[in-house]
Amino acid sequence: SKQKIVKAGDKDLDGQLDFEEFVHYLQDHEKKLRLVFKSLDKKNDGRIDAQEIVQSLRDLGVKISEQQAEKILKSMDKNGTMTIDWNEWRDYHLLHPVENIPEIILYWKHSTIFDVGENLTVPDEFTVEERQTGMWWRHLVAGGGAGAVSRTCTAPLDRLKVLMQVHASRSNNMCIVGGFTQMIREGGPRSLWRGNGINVLKIAPESAIKFMAYEQIKRFIGTDQEMLRIHERLLAGSLAGAIAQSSIYPMEVLKTRMALRKTGQYSGMLDCAKNILSKEGMAAFYKGYIPNMLGIIPYAGIDLAVYETLKNAWLQRYAVNSADPGVFVLLACGTISSTCGQLASYPLALVRTRMQAQASVEGAPEVTMRGLFKHILKTEGAFGLYRGLAPNFMKVIPAVSISYVVYENLKMTLGV
């Protein structure tokens, strides 16, 4: 805590605080504490009681009991009234660098932008202040840039996953080493990144549409809370995801076809799109649409629920002297929640990919989602619904780690 105070106030970077720097730190810190005090004081009576603490945390997705709120009050309450006035609040927090619990919860929320190459996550949530100051678009730009870098770095594993989903079977038991060898032999090292261009291009329109839809749906739900509760967030997030996916779905089909193409088959993305349009018609750009939409709810729901559960467990157990979770806790929570979400929705993702790829596989009959499920279960068993799962899971940890590092650096560059 002492090091954080020195770092926050040390303007001339000499590793020490002189009197002027210390006064400036206290004045700046007091302003922030005043804003937080006002946000917690729901009744506007100049005092914070246990119910207001419970309500404020509930608005931000953290549930605590009134007994736990009273423990928080006792640690700050000097005169035994079981309420905290401004002086008690300021005196308790003035020399503590962690400004407020709401800020910590927002830090957790903004850290859910981990990009693992999937498009089914619940959108990030921003406060009124962040929307008014334009800070939201900087978060989105940082998230988009982080997604582009992490997807590019893990593109070979993503392409291998698509190949295994479409081509692997009992008779052709494609393994990870064999799959990479096959790709390099067929098209050289550059072929490992086929389909990555369109995968990166679709980040910007999808993020923008998802964010705008999410904000509109929040208004439609009519909640008067600044931050949505978990079930409201899931509902709004799933609907926003469905709208965004519907808008950019042809790009999804294009990404799959580009990843599966052979050397010299198409000269580029536009050539691929023209080919599909002339040979198969516009309907081909919406193959696999239904399983993709159905996959949004289990993926987003489980991802969000696991992340919130892990976050709350950590805050309840370890947020005593400091509520800063640290990089490794955030990475662990993001990795576990994303993995659980993918595990639940993977069979739908596999069926979607096979339907998207149908015309690119010679002699493949036109099948429905239900027919494809039955065919896979009959010929390959339940294991067949999880083809390509190994490279998919292999890319989660590097994707989460890379996107986190790039996201944090881009945030600093953009002044977040």
Side-chain angles (χ1 to χ4, degrees):
S1 294
K2 291 170 191 171
Q3 286 173 347
K4 284 181 181 177
I5 290 170
V6 172
K7 193 176 178 182
D10 186 17
K11 300 296 177 188
D12 56 9
L13 304 175
D14 63 352
Q16 301 176 55
L17 285 183
D18 60 32
F19 182 72
E20 278 185 28
E21 286 173 331
F22 186 62
V23 169
H24 182 78
Y25 166 77
L26 290 179
Q27 287 173 338
D28 187 51
H29 201 60
E30 189 171 324
K31 284 178 193 171
K32 292 175 184 173
L33 290 175
R34 174 73 75 177
L35 289 170
V36 179
F37 184 84
K38 283 182 179 177
S39 74
L40 291 172
D41 184 16
K42 304 283 186 188
K43 297 171 188 170
N44 292 319
D45 59 357
R47 293 183 171 277
I48 299 169
D49 59 29
Q51 286 180 335
E52 286 171 324
I53 289 175
V54 170
Q55 185 59 47
S56 296
L57 292 181
R58 190 172 290 154
D59 292 349
L60 295 166
V62 177
K63 291 180 182 177
I64 64 167
S65 64
E66 206 156 316
Q67 288 76 23
Q68 288 171 310
E70 283 169 3
K71 280 184 184 178
I72 295 170
L73 278 177
K74 280 178 185 174
S75 67
M76 293 181 256
D77 182 23
K78 290 180 180 177
N79 53 17
T81 58
M82 286 308 288
T83 59
I84 308 161
D85 62 24
W86 160 243
N87 291 327
E88 288 171 322
W89 173 265
R90 182 197 58 203
D91 293 349
Y92 182 83
H93 289 286
L94 201 54
L95 289 176
H96 199 286
V98 174
E99 278 120 26
N100 56 82
I101 292 295
E103 191 175 84
I104 297 300
I105 306 305
L106 283 175
Y107 180 58
W108 278 92
K109 283 193 185 300
H110 292 323
S111 296
T112 60
I113 303 186
F114 299 129
D115 192 293
V116 291
E118 301 297 324
N119 310 293
L120 313 174
T121 47
V122 172
D124 201 26
E125 200 167 350
F126 301 100
T127 62
V128 171
E129 188 185 359
E130 283 172 324
R131 291 197 295 272
Q132 287 172 347
T133 57
M135 204 59 76
W136 63 272
W137 69 260
R138 297 182 190 187
H139 275 285
L140 289 181
V141 169
V149 175
S150 72
R151 289 184 190 198
T152 301
C153 292
T154 58
L157 284 166
D158 196 55
R159 187 180 178 220
L160 179 62
K161 176 194 79 174
V162 173
L163 285 173
M164 290 176 79
Q165 284 178 331
V166 176
H167 296 301
S169 62
R170 277 180 178 168
S171 57
N172 171 28
N173 198 13
M174 189 187 289
C175 64
I176 291 166
V177 176
F180 276 124
T181 306
Q182 187 180 316
M183 283 191 286
I184 293 168
R185 192 184 294 137
E186 194 275 328
R190 278 187 66 185
S191 69
L192 298 175
W193 276 266
R194 280 180 190 166
N196 183 57
I198 192 81
N199 200 26
V200 169
L201 273 177
K202 65 187 174 72
I203 292 173
E206 191 195 10
S207 299
I209 294 165
K210 194 186 283 185
F211 171 71
M212 288 187 287
Y214 188 64
E215 291 301 310
Q216 292 303 317
I217 293 162
K218 273 171 68 176
R219 289 194 189 98
F220 184 74
I221 288 171
T223 178
D224 59 350
Q225 305 297 339
E226 191 173 295
M227 308 296 283
L228 297 184
R229 294 181 179 87
I230 292 176
H231 68 276
E232 292 173 330
R233 201 166 168 228
L234 173 59
L235 174 65
S238 298
L239 288 172
I243 291 164
Q245 282 281 288
S246 299
S247 305
I248 59 102
Y249 193 75
M251 295 175 86
E252 287 282 342
V253 175
L254 207 53
K255 177 230 168 184
T256 301
R257 296 293 182 92
M258 292 292 284
L260 292 167
R261 80 186 191 275
K262 292 186 171 70
T263 304
Q265 189 175 352
Y266 307 117
S267 60
M269 282 182 273
L270 286 174
D271 184 44
C272 180
K274 282 178 187 174
N275 239 283
I276 295 169
L277 195 61
S278 62
K279 290 181 181 176
E280 303 165 60
M282 194 64 201
F285 287 106
Y286 284 89
K287 282 183 177 177
Y289 176 79
I290 294 171
N292 188 70
M293 290 298 110
L294 291 174
I296 288 174
I297 296 169
Y299 183 96
I302 291 168
D303 188 16
L304 180 63
V306 172
Y307 191 85
E308 293 286 334
T309 303
L310 292 171
K311 174 193 79 176
N312 285 336
W314 190 92
L315 286 169
Q316 293 276 6
R317 183 168 290 190
Y318 300 109
V320 181
N321 299 320
S322 169
D324 184 356
V327 177
F328 290 110
V329 175
L330 287 171
L331 290 181
C333 291
T335 304
I336 293 166
S337 62
S338 174
T339 301
C340 292
Q342 287 189 66
L343 195 60
S345 65
Y346 195 82
L348 285 162
L350 180 134
V351 168
R352 175 203 66 194
T353 305
R354 286 207 181 178
M355 289 177 77
Q356 288 173 345
Q358 269 175 10
S360 66
V361 181
E362 286 181 27
E366 192 79 24
V367 290
T368 60
M369 179 184 78
R370 194 174 172 184
L372 198 50
F373 264 116
K374 281 183 178 178
H375 175 73
I376 294 168
L377 288 169
K378 187 180 176 182
T379 56
E380 302 177 55
F383 181 76
L385 293 170
Y386 288 89
R387 296 276 180 200
L389 191 65
N392 193 56
F393 279 174
M394 281 171 69
K395 74 175 180 142
V396 170
I397 293 174
V400 167
S401 306
I402 292 163
S403 65
Y404 180 84
V405 171
V406 177
Y407 180 61
E408 289 299 309
N409 281 286
L410 282 173
K411 277 204 304 182
M412 283 192 284
T413 306
L414 293 166
V416 177

